[in-house]
Each structure stands twice: as structure tokens, then as C-alpha cells.
Amino acid sequence: MSRLFLGIESSCDDTAAAIVRRTEEGHGEILSNIVASQTTLHAAFGGVVPEIAARAHVEKLDVSVEQALSEAGVGFDDLDGIAVTSGPGLIGGVLSGVMFAKGLSAATGLPLIGVNHLAGHALTPRLTDGISYPYLMLLVSGGHCQFLIVKGAEDYKRLGGTIDDAPGEAFDKTARLLGLPQPGGPAVQAEALKGDAKAFRFPRPLLDRAGCDMSFSGLKTALLRTRDSVVSAKGGLTATDRADLCAGFQQAVSDVLVEKSRRAFAEYLALDPQTPVFAVAGGVSANTQIRTALQQLCTEEGLQFLAPPLALCTDNAAMIAWAGLERFSAGGLDDLSLSARPRWPLDTQSPALLGSGKKGAKA
Ligand code: KG4
Ligand code: ZN
């Protein structure tokens, strides 16, 4: 059955609203996808300030939804439901979105569906490419880093993840330590292009440990130490030093992700999927070196590599609308008792990962 959903996302520093249709045949169509970024509000603080984020969401939610409806050329009467991120994330922001969606649902009588933000990311390849279950997913962003086997809209197996920081946080910290602008990923990538990845040696944490768990906080510390030793030896950093540090750091992150992906492939392929697919999402998957390395690995190991368009890899509400549609179609439904959850693992069977990201809860 064809269905039309409004999606609302406010779990970190983007206020987003989108209208998505699921066609009779089950294909996804994005009618509008509005993202109001808060980057400038947080710029002076060197990270997302939860209080500022929550207030900004409250200010932007209604205009974002209005804009999403008008760009899509639809009204509340045309909708079949409202999907909202109800966790995990910064609790103030999640609460703002949940309260707002509840208000809309109460006023319009439309069904309300709470969505796990990570499910939004994990189900995006079905929205963009209509792939079937089970597929392997790497979520790699400023707040998340985990391998998931996606078996169904509410059926996930986590193979491993970061036990401390997410790679995006490490990119952002690296940029700060080297005086580069935020967000750090694109800035470090641009510098790395000019550098020599072998000039400085960085660790590859947890490669000696079996399984798919990862760690990136030691890499940040290694970068700080290396920077300080160059500064104390030479009295400062040259442009070449900065580029070499970025190249070495990026190479280390890429090597860790490639090796852990290889291990995740083995576990996934043991399920004997008909068409093996490895999908990536999250801001760090925009990194050209990492993307190319993972693509190469897929070619070697016989998996299809899938990277949704960047606007759908980073935080957005189209993925929330889609995940809501999938949940609703599978019989999922919430009511006005829906609550905001700061922590909410997709795979409730696997033991919790350690650590908590600056940008929100890891799950
Ligand atoms: O998925 P995202 O937009 O937000 C969440 O964290 O949920 O990811 C943002 C993160 C930031 O840490 C940013 O530095 C990183 O993704 N990022 C990159 C690149 N573009 C964005 N990291 C490495 N290389 C990039 N090209
Ligand atoms: Zn996200």
C-alpha cells in the first residue's frame, strides 16, 4: 500500500523534517528533505552545547515541518503518519522533537511512530536502493561507529563498535589540535591530500584483538603527543608537518576500518546472503580515502558496496520518515506515552559498548 509520512529529527545539532512516500511496490520517494543546521551556533564552543541545541530545535521545528510540507506540496490530510526520532541522542533535543510530534499527532489524529535514530541510518539503503535483508552496515560518524547486520526493520545484530570515541570525533579533535576549522573531517581530508602518510607513525588500536570492536581515543592522544614533540623540537609546525600529521592520522583510521570490515564480512557472509551488500552511512563515510579503501575491499571479497548520497548519509529526517514507514508497515505504533531515550541500542542482545560520545549516546 502506498503511504506518505512526515519525519522529524532533532537528536543532535540538525533540526530536520522530511516527507517520504513508500510506493505500492515498496520503493522510497523523498518529496522534501529540510535540514536546518546549527553549526554556526556551536562554532564558538568547539563542540555541540546540548542546552543551545535543545533551544534551537524548539525554535526551528515548526518552520522546518511547514517547509517540508510546502516543498512536498502536501498537507496534514495527505499524510498517513508522523515519525520522530525518540532516541538515542542528546536528551534535550530528542525531547523537543518528541513533544512536538506528540502535539502534531494529538492535533491531527495521525498515527505517531517513535524511531531509533540508528535505525534511520541503518535502513537508508532500503530507501535509496531498495536492497533486501540481510545486509551489512557500517555506521561511522561523529557520534556512532558500529557494524550491524540488518536482518529486518527491527532486527539487528551488532558485530562490534567503538569502545570509546567515534572516528568523526577523532577527526574533529585532530582538526582542533592542528588549528584547522570545524567540522574537522573535511579539513583534515584536504590537508591529508598534501601530506605523506608515512612521515609519522600512528597506532592501529585493537587490531591485535579478535572481533570487530574498535578504539579511536588513543589515536587522538598519539596525534597530540606527536604534534607536541614536533613543536618542541622545531618551535612550531610547518605546513608540511600539518599535512603529514593529517595524512598519517587518516591512514590509521582507514586501516582500522578496513581490517575490522574484513572481519565483519566473514561473520556476515557466514549467513550466506543471496546478494551480499556492504553499506556505509554517517559523516565519516564521506571521506574519500576511507570510501575508496572500503570499496576496494568489497571488490576483493565479492560484496556490493553501497554508499547512499551524502545528504542521506549524514543526519536527516528522510531516513526517520522511512524507518517510521517500515516500522508502521510491520505493525509498529506509539501513542502519547512515547518517551525520549538518551540510550537505545539497536541490538539489545549484545553487551553494551563502553564509552559515551560527546555528541550523544553510543549504543
Ligand atoms: O553523520 P554526521 O553528519 O553527524 C553525526 O555525527 O551524527 O557526522 C559528522 C562527522 C563529523 O565528526 C565530521 O568531522 C565527520 O563526520 N566528517 C568527516 C568527513 N566529512 C564529515 N570525517 C572524515 N572525512 C570527511 N570527509
Ligand atoms: Zn546520526
Side-chain angles (χ1 to χ4, degrees):
M1 190 198 294
S2 170
R3 279 191 175 129
L4 194 67
F5 256 59
L6 163 67
I8 298 172
E9 153 66 34
S10 58
S11 66
C12 187
D13 59 348
D14 291 309
T15 313
I19 305 291
V20 171
R21 172 178 288 126
R22 193 176 194 252
T23 65
E24 298 282 349
E25 300 77 34
H27 299 309
E29 278 175 16
I30 300 172
L31 276 60
S32 62
N33 192 15
I34 309 297
V35 180
S37 165
Q38 301 178 357
T39 309
T40 49
L41 292 180
H42 303 287
F45 303 96
V48 178
V49 184
E51 274 304 312
I52 295 178
R55 279 164 208 263
H57 286 307
V58 171
E59 278 172 23
K60 286 282 165 65
L61 277 163
D62 55 352
V63 280
S64 302
V65 167
E66 260 176 34
Q67 207 181 336
L69 289 166
S70 97
E71 272 194 24
V74 300
F76 284 111
D77 289 348
D78 303 307
L79 296 179
D80 296 298
I82 299 171
V84 63
T85 303
S86 53
L90 298 174
I91 191 65
V94 180
L95 262 174
S96 310
V98 168
M99 297 306 286
F100 181 73
K102 280 186 189 178
L104 282 184
S105 169
T108 57
L110 285 166
L112 175 69
I113 318 305
V115 167
N116 184 312
H117 177 89
L118 300 168
H121 281 301
L123 296 173
T124 300
R126 287 176 52 79
L127 163 64
T128 55
D129 293 80
I131 60 169
S132 31
Y133 303 118
Y135 54 92
L136 179 67
M137 183 88 205
L138 169 63
L139 293 184
V140 59
S141 71
H144 333 290
C145 184
Q146 53 186 285
F147 290 102
L148 291 164
I149 295 178
V150 186
K151 299 181 182 173
E154 299 197 71
D155 188 2
Y156 303 88
K157 168 132 183 73
R158 196 186 59 224
L159 303 179
T162 181
I163 58 164
D164 41 50
D165 297 337
E169 274 179 88
F171 268 98
D172 294 342
K173 182 78 186 293
T174 296
R176 268 195 294 282
L177 291 173
L178 299 177
L180 298 169
Q182 296 292 315
V188 171
Q189 166 167 302
E191 283 295 312
L193 270 179
K194 301 178 263 173
D196 172 8
K198 297 203 176 75
F200 299 104
R201 177 83 199 140
F202 286 98
R204 269 69 174 154
L206 294 197
L207 279 199
D208 53 346
R209 196 193 285 182
C212 298
D213 280 348
M214 292 163 278
S215 160
F216 295 97
S217 77
L219 211 44
K220 280 186 334 197
T221 319
L223 187 108
L224 173 64
R225 260 194 265 112
T226 315
R227 181 204 67 173
D228 287 351
S229 65
V230 175
V231 169
S232 68
K234 296 190 190 171
L237 283 184
T238 64
T240 309
D241 292 332
R242 186 175 288 123
D244 289 347
L245 284 167
C246 287
F249 164 83
Q250 184 173 276
Q251 184 71 52
V253 176
S254 175
D255 287 352
V256 170
L257 290 174
V258 166
E259 179 50 33
K260 294 289 177 169
S261 298
R262 192 191 306 278
R263 297 179 195 180
F265 286 9
E267 280 192 62
Y268 166 60
L269 292 174
L271 297 179
D272 207 12
Q274 262 199 334
T275 334
V277 177
F278 178 51
V280 291
V284 180
S285 67
N287 185 281
T288 315
Q289 183 180 357
I290 294 172
R291 206 178 254 237
T292 310
L294 293 174
Q295 195 152 21
Q296 169 75 28
L297 181 68
C298 282
T299 310
E300 283 165 28
E301 308 266 333
L303 284 86
Q304 184 194 335
F305 180 74
L306 206 91
L310 194 57
L312 297 175
C313 274
T314 54
D315 288 352
N316 67 88
M319 68 178 191
I320 302 304
W322 178 260
L325 271 163
E326 292 234 27
R327 245 203 95 198
F328 187 61
S329 304
L333 184 62
D334 290 294
D335 57 25
L336 296 183
S337 66
L338 175 67
S339 56
R341 299 174 63 174
R343 285 188 172 256
W344 185 4
L346 275 181
D347 176 354
T348 46
Q349 306 300 314
S350 299
L353 289 168
L354 300 171
S356 169
K358 164 177 58 66
K359 282 188 162 185
K362 301 217 178 84

